[in-house]
Every structure is written in C-alpha cells, then in structure tokens.
C-alpha cells in the first residue's frame, strides 16, 4: 500500500491512535525486521507514551538473524517487550502472546489484587504502511478481516477480534506515517517496499542497495548476478555488468538502465539475493542513546 502523507493525515492518524489507545492495555508496535529503526514512526514515543509496548519485528524470515537479535536486545534495554515473528507464515505467534502477557503483568496483577475478575488482554497494532499489520491481524484472527491496503483517515466501526481466550485485538490497525527527513531512511524504506516508488529516485535506491551489497555481502552479489567485482569498480559499472548478463539491452545494444534498476530493487525487496537487515546496529548505535527516553 502506498499513501501520500499530508500534515492533515498525520494529525488525523495521531488523533485516531490516541483515541484507540484508551481502549487497550498494550500496544503492538509493528516494524519491519529488515529496518527495525527506520520503519518506526518518528513520533511513536510521544504518541504511545507510557502504555506498555510490545515491539514486533515482523518479516523476520527476510532479515538477517544476527542483526535482528541485536535490535531485539536494544529494544529490551529500552524497556520494551520485543518479539521477532513472521506473520506471513504465522510463525512465532506464541511468543507474541507471551510478550503481551509479560508487558501487561503489572497491570493485571494489580487488578487481581483488587479482586477484579481475570479478563483478556486488550491490544491494538500500530505501524507505518506495509510492515504487515493486516497480515498479522488476519493470522491472529485466523480469517481475513483487515483489508490489506486500508487508508488512514477512513474510519470504520471497530471491533474486537478474539485471539484464543487471552487476547482481544482491535480489528483496525493504527496507520502512522514513516520518517521522511533522512535520505538514507527513505532509501531503506523504498528497498523494503514501504514507500511509494515515485517519492524516491529509484536509481539512487538501486545504487544504495548495490553499495550495501558491496560493503556487506560482495560474494553473494557476485554469485547472484554472475558478475566480477574488481575492487576499483564504480557502482555504475556494475549496472553495466548486470545488464549485459541479464540481456537487458535496448536498441543499439545499450544497457537498459531502467530495467536493471528495477531488477536490483525487486531482488532486494524480495530477499532474493539474501536476507539482509539494512539498519546495521553497530553502525547506528552511537546515535541511538542520544534520543530521549520514552
Ligand atoms: P500493512 O500495510 O502494514 O497492513 O501491511 P500488509 O499486511 O499489507 O503487508 C505488506 C506486505 O508484506 C504483503 O505483501 C505481505 O504479504 C507481506 N508480509 C507481511 N508480513 C510478512 C512476513 O512476516 N514475512 C514476509 N515475507 N512477508 C510479509
């Protein structure tokens, strides 16, 4: 799904989430495990405030495990309850339930000590577009409820989905806007399919992707496209090599750069070349702890 965000949309999205927050015990903040930081809404801590939060690193099947583990630890250190799951194939949903229980334990213990009857945990999902909110809702509901491709600002009657005896989930996810301000984040969002192709320059995204592979997995890059890295290659030389290998040529035997660009982006988005996490913890960690506490 792609959305053009205007300030009005953002204000409305925020208002809606703030309203829904009152109804839940815990928030499931969904992020893309391939970009656990870059796929977060920039104001998420301001919006969610002190409400217990499970951070769900979704699409774990497409990310690099060792990086995902580092981000899990990071979120844990921040006082959140992180889990890594694969919504598409319904994997690790049990861990999500356990995290929801851990996140709400204090509140439920308090209720119990006041003599209140045990009840299901109430939760809602929030996140930027395309992180897998609808997919997760449908998996938890075991049927198709949330339409993939819903738009912010389109209000509909909310309902609770019963997930076993212990969880009730709002059937409408809170859709929040992504980070826009940073060029690198924009490219990562594009590489994972979170933002509209026309917002970013695709050639820059493909170059970013190729440079990432040169730095982090040059062997796979060479093997996958059957190309040779000479060490002093300009990244554009690689476009030529890939274009020739794949026969992506225009009339006059010129390389069809548009097709090569699309190919590289598609292969990265679909994790065809390998499983990558584009937010690299060790490269980002210095800036992390300067941000304010939630
Ligand atoms: P939403 O905009 O946040 O509701 O995202 P969707 O639920 O529409 O999912 C966006 C895309 O990501 C769809 O093509 C899903 O099939 C895919 N997707 C969602 N979760 C996963 C996952 O855990 N693994 C993989 N590989 N794909 C996923």
């Amino acid at each position: 799904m792609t959305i053009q965000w205007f300030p009005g949309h953002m204000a409305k999205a925020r208002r809606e989430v703030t309203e829904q927050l009152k109804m839940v015990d815990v928030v499931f903040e969904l992020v893309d495990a391939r970009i656990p930081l870059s796929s977060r809404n920039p104001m998420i801590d301001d919006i969610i405030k002190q409400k217990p939060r499970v951070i769900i690193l979704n699409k774990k099947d497409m990310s690099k495990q060792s990086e995902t583990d580092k981000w899990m630890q990071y979120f844990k250190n921040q006082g959140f309850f992180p889990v890594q799951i694969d919504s598409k194939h319904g994997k690790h949903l049990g861990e999500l339930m356990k995290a929801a229980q851990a996140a709400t334990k204090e509140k439920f213990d308090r209720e119990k000590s006041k003599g209140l009857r045990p009840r299901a945990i109430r939760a809602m999902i929030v996140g930027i577009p395309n992180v897998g909110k609808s997919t997760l809702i449908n998996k938890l509901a075991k049927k198709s409820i949330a339409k993939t491709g819903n738009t912010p600002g389109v209000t509909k009657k909310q309902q609770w989905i019963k997930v076993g005896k212990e969880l009730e989930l709002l059937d409408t996810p809170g859709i929040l806007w992504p980070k826009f301000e940073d060029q690198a984040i924009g490219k990562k969002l594009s590489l994972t399919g979170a933002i509209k192709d026309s917002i970013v320059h695709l050639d820059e995204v493909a170059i970013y992707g190729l440079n990432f592979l040169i730095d982090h997995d040059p062997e796979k890059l060479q093997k996958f496209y059957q190309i040779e890295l000479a060490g002093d290659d300009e990244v554009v030389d690689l476009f030529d090599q890939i274009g020739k290998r794949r026969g992506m040529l225009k009339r006059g035997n010129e390389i069809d750069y548009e097709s090569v660009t699309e190919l590289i982006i598609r292969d990265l988005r679909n994790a065809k070349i390998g499983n990558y996490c584009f937010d690299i913890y060790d490269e980002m960690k210095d800036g992390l702890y300067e941000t304010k506490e939630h």
Side-chain angles (χ1 to χ4, degrees):
M1 176 188 40
T2 48
I3 305 168
Q4 185 86 49
W5 288 91
F6 292 103
H9 288 139
M10 298 184 198
K12 186 155 192 216
R14 181 178 183 153
R15 252 191 334 266
E16 281 176 7
V17 170
T18 306
E19 232 9 77
Q20 289 170 321
L21 271 179
K22 294 178 192 157
M23 300 189 273
V24 301
D25 305 301
V26 57
V27 172
F28 293 165
E29 181 192 348
L30 210 57
V31 298
D32 188 321
R34 295 169 295 175
I35 45 170
L37 214 58
S38 300
S39 58
R40 300 184 82 192
N41 167 269
M43 298 186 71
I44 192 74
D45 292 343
D46 277 344
I47 298 172
I48 307 299
K49 301 207 168 71
Q50 297 303 317
K51 189 75 73 176
R53 201 174 339 159
V54 173
I55 297 191
I56 303 177
L57 291 88
N58 189 37
K59 310 197 186 185
K60 83 175 237 112
D61 55 305
M62 293 203 281
S63 184
K64 186 177 173 186
Q65 190 59 57
S66 54
E67 277 301 320
T68 310
D69 290 339
K70 286 184 192 170
W71 287 111
M72 286 284 291
Q73 192 56 51
Y74 164 72
F75 287 127
K76 224 175 263 175
N77 293 344
Q78 298 266 300
F80 298 120
F81 296 83
V83 284
Q84 35 179 316
I85 67 169
D86 165 2
S87 293
K88 190 171 176 176
H89 307 99
K91 291 197 176 146
H92 306 283
L93 300 183
E95 282 151 56
L96 171 57
M97 295 300 286
K98 277 190 211 137
Q101 279 159 350
T104 52
K105 187 175 183 311
E106 242 178 72
K107 181 173 182 183
F108 278 69
D109 282 351
R110 224 167 31 238
E111 289 189 2
K112 198 174 162 193
S113 70
K114 285 185 193 154
L116 292 173
R117 272 198 299 153
R119 60 179 182 91
I121 298 168
R122 292 195 149 182
M124 70 173 294
I125 293 179
V126 303
I128 67 165
N130 211 52
V131 289
K133 296 179 296 299
S134 310
T135 308
L136 177 59
I137 292 176
N138 290 334
K139 272 289 171 223
L140 289 172
K142 298 204 174 84
K143 58 183 174 198
S144 198
I145 286 180
K147 256 208 323 230
T148 30
N150 36 18
T151 333
V154 180
T155 345
K156 62 163 191 152
K157 197 170 171 295
Q158 286 153 14
Q159 287 176 7
W160 294 101
I161 301 165
K162 283 199 164 47
V163 185
K165 282 194 186 112
E166 282 161 15
L167 185 74
E168 285 174 8
L169 184 68
L170 265 190
D171 70 342
T172 323
I175 306 170
L176 295 171
W177 60 98
K179 295 175 180 164
F180 300 112
E181 71 282 4
D182 182 304
Q183 289 269 328
I185 293 179
K187 287 169 195 158
K188 291 177 190 183
L189 288 168
S190 172
L191 270 185
T192 52
I195 57 171
K196 204 174 182 167
D197 287 350
S198 61
I199 294 176
V200 284
H201 294 290
L202 288 186
D203 49 350
E204 288 176 17
V205 175
I207 290 171
Y208 188 88
L210 278 183
N211 276 322
F212 178 91
L213 291 171
I214 292 170
D215 291 345
H216 298 285
D217 206 359
E219 262 128 58
K220 272 260 186 70
L221 170 63
Q222 296 187 90
K223 218 166 143 191
F224 187 83
Y225 289 117
Q226 296 178 293
I227 56 171
E228 300 275 337
L229 294 181
D232 56 351
D233 286 314
E234 293 286 333
V235 76
V236 283
D237 297 335
L238 301 185
F239 278 76
D240 287 349
Q241 285 199 52
I242 295 170
K244 278 185 199 141
R245 273 282 174 206
R246 295 294 175 99
M248 291 178 156
L249 304 171
K250 292 206 275 204
R251 229 179 281 160
N253 262 1
E254 254 186 66
I255 305 284
D256 179 355
Y257 288 110
E258 215 174 295
S259 297
V260 179
T261 299
E262 282 167 13
L263 174 79
I264 295 165
I265 294 175
R266 199 166 56 237
D267 288 339
L268 279 166
R269 267 187 197 162
N270 298 329
K272 285 267 163 57
I273 307 170
N275 288 356
Y276 301 111
C277 182
F278 301 105
D279 279 348
I280 296 180
Y281 179 78
D282 289 336
E283 290 175 9
M284 299 173 90
K285 65 171 188 255
D286 290 341
L288 287 178
Y289 296 95
E290 288 160 20
T291 54
K292 74 179 162 52
E293 291 291 306
H294 61 277

